[in-house]
Amino acid sequence: MRALTGMGLLSAAMLLLQVALTRFFSIAQFYHFAFLVISLALLGFGASGSLLALWPRLRRPAHGAGYALGFALSTLAATLFANHLPFDSYSIAWDGGQVVLLAGNLLALAVPFIFAGALIAALLSADAAHAGRTYAANLLGSAAGAILAPLILAGLGSERAILLCAALGAAAGLILADSRRMHLLAGGGTILAVALVIVFPAAFEVRPSPYKALSQFRLNPEATITATRQNAYARLNIVDSPTIHAAPGLSLSYLGRLPEQTGLLVDGGELLPVAEAGPDLDGLARALPAAAAYALRPDGPTLVLGSGGNLDPWTALATTTGNVTVVEPNALVYAALTGDLRAYAGLADHPRVRLIQDEIRPFVERSQDTFAVVHLALADNYRPVTSGAFTLTENYSLTVEAVQAYLRRAEPDGLLVITRWLQNPPSETPRTLALILS
């Protein structure tokens, strides 16, 4: 029974670690690096199988507690290694040293899965006649780790969740220990890991890529991170800085005052500007590109898909007299607009605004209302496409089926507005037109 309990606990820690590492990669680098996590786990399992095949003595169940403790300690060590020796993904094309750093990071993060795989294989080999029970404990523990992962990430955040994985691994070692010495080691490891979860030293705080906006704001002595929120799929930082001046596509004829702005940073990189509600914001909003479309339908209701902060909804408010429905897919952004920045953003309490938290595509498919203007707001950072970066960025709000759904929500003489960045060469414009014509 001890072996099955230890197996289940370590399996839960292993699955939780995989999910937590996807968030770690998304914040530290960019989200497509999170795809590496499954490969790292498979690499670790494969390596452990090779080691146990080469040295059959390693299959003895007496090593189980050591493997569990090794999982715990290597999780801590690998996190520190990856956090403090990050590679530069932009310069990897010309700097061979970055290839070494990337390989080192990945190999370090594969080590915990080597220990986990060794424990699973050792326990399966030890009691081949009842391998089904051992495998069932593995599956149940893995299922528990996967099911609890969203709750743990929302409650603790990705960094503390990784430390919790180490604590669970050490606790599994304590359960499997069959000697006084191993009891002491595993018990000490469990206490250490739990203490790290509670105290959370700054050394374990994920360090975003220097190319991300959060890293740049941290270099600005005038910038202040006023709040940090996390859930299972995103991290949001609210940043106050006098250097935030975002107005994409602002008319060159605009000579008015720029309103004060606060930034919402999603995963440390994507900046969503929130301007202070007031007369200055009204003037600025009328000089933004989408105002031209709203001016053609000034009296009808408007649907803004994605708040993009609050500039796009305010463009509709400043230019039209109808009601404005704003659909924000990110729960953390919605919570900021209705909580921390409620009065500042001015959307949640505006009499003409209906602010909804929902995914864009499901909302549009379910809705039966029609609108004079359907506006897919600009919620993405500017990214050069000549590098092929968009091949790694799926966006289900920009598909043929999505555009067809948007057109169904438009009145017979309504307008569909899709705001995208002007690239050089202007590749996004013909791509968007081609998408609509499809």
Side-chain angles (χ1 to χ4, degrees):
M1 189 62 186
R2 286 194 307 116
L4 297 180
T5 304
M7 165 74 84
L9 194 58
L10 187 71
S11 298
M14 182 178 59
L15 259 292
L16 175 58
L17 178 61
Q18 291 182 59
V19 178
L21 283 177
T22 64
R23 297 297 312 133
F24 177 87
F25 276 123
S26 296
I27 300 168
Q29 293 295 330
F30 300 93
Y31 89 99
H32 48 268
F33 283 94
F35 303 159
L36 289 168
V37 172
I38 301 300
S39 299
L40 292 176
L42 293 176
L43 174 63
F45 295 154
S48 66
S50 299
L51 291 173
L52 268 62
L54 290 173
W55 291 286
R57 292 178 302 173
L58 298 177
R59 301 179 193 173
R60 289 186 297 178
H63 296 308
Y67 292 147
L69 187 58
F71 170 87
L73 296 179
S74 61
T75 296
L76 299 177
T79 303
L80 289 174
F81 184 87
N83 210 18
H84 292 273
L85 289 175
F87 76 101
D88 186 340
S89 59
Y90 278 72
S91 64
I92 194 171
W94 61 84
D95 184 358
Q98 297 302 322
V99 177
V100 176
L101 278 178
L102 174 59
N105 274 270
L106 298 182
L107 290 175
L109 290 169
V111 172
F113 299 106
I114 295 177
F115 283 109
L119 173 62
I120 294 170
L123 294 182
L124 283 171
S125 301
D127 190 8
H130 300 94
R133 293 190 302 182
T134 306
Y135 190 45
N138 171 238
L139 291 179
L140 289 173
S142 299
I147 292 171
L148 293 175
L151 298 176
I152 293 172
L153 287 172
L156 296 179
S158 55
E159 299 100 322
R160 277 190 166 95
I162 292 175
L163 298 179
L164 179 62
C165 293
L168 294 176
L174 184 61
I175 293 172
L176 294 169
D178 55 6
S179 68
R180 178 177 175 81
R181 178 172 175 271
M182 188 52 68
H183 270 106
L184 291 175
L185 289 174
T190 304
I191 294 172
L192 172 63
V194 170
L196 291 175
V197 173
I198 298 172
V199 177
F200 189 63
F204 287 95
E205 184 177 352
V206 61
R207 298 188 178 187
S209 164
Y211 302 103
K212 287 200 167 186
L214 180 59
S215 296
Q216 297 162 18
F217 278 120
R218 283 175 172 171
L219 297 175
N220 182 358
E222 298 183 71
T224 304
I225 300 175
T226 60
T228 299
R229 306 278 190 272
Q230 295 196 60
N231 59 20
Y233 60 88
R235 183 170 94 168
L236 182 75
N237 296 103
I238 302 177
V239 180
D240 283 336
S241 174
T243 61
I244 300 177
H245 304 293
L250 181 65
S251 171
L252 296 176
S253 65
Y254 179 71
L255 301 176
R257 182 178 177 274
L258 292 176
E260 298 293 330
Q261 291 187 354
T262 288
L264 301 179
L265 294 179
V266 180
D267 283 348
E270 183 180 338
L271 174 64
L272 303 177
V274 178
E276 185 177 16
D280 292 335
L281 179 54
D282 284 341
L284 175 70
R286 293 190 185 97
L288 294 176
Y294 291 124
L296 297 175
R297 300 290 186 273
D299 301 321
T302 299
L303 174 63
V304 181
L305 300 172
S307 66
N310 73 339
L311 292 183
D312 288 305
W314 268 101
T315 303
L317 289 171
T319 316
T320 68
T321 59
N323 292 329
V324 179
T325 300
V326 183
V327 180
E328 174 50 54
N330 191 315
L332 296 177
V333 174
Y334 175 84
L337 294 176
T338 57
D340 300 81
L341 302 177
R342 188 182 188 98
Y344 189 90
L347 293 178
D349 297 319
H350 197 286
R352 289 199 289 128
V353 172
R354 183 166 66 118
L355 185 57
I356 300 170
Q357 196 279 306
D358 200 352
E359 294 294 329
I360 289 175
R361 286 280 297 277
F363 174 85
V364 172
E365 294 288 355
R366 290 195 309 267
S367 177
Q368 299 300 315
D369 299 327
T370 56
F371 303 87
V373 178
V374 177
H375 181 194
L376 182 62
L378 182 65
D380 301 322
N381 278 351
Y382 175 84
R383 297 183 181 93
V385 298
T386 52
S387 65
F390 274 132
T391 60
L392 296 171
T393 306
E394 69 274 2
N395 189 336
Y396 298 108
S397 62
L398 286 170
T399 65
V400 172
E401 293 78 11
V403 171
Q404 291 172 346
Y406 304 153
L407 291 172
R408 289 195 294 270
R409 299 282 66 78
E411 295 176 349
D413 62 342
L415 301 177
L416 171 61
V417 180
I418 299 178
T419 304
R420 302 302 301 167
W421 290 100
L422 179 63
Q423 302 280 357
N424 185 22
S427 54
E428 285 203 53
T429 302
R431 286 181 65 187
T432 305
L433 290 174
L435 179 67
I436 295 172
L437 294 175
S438 299

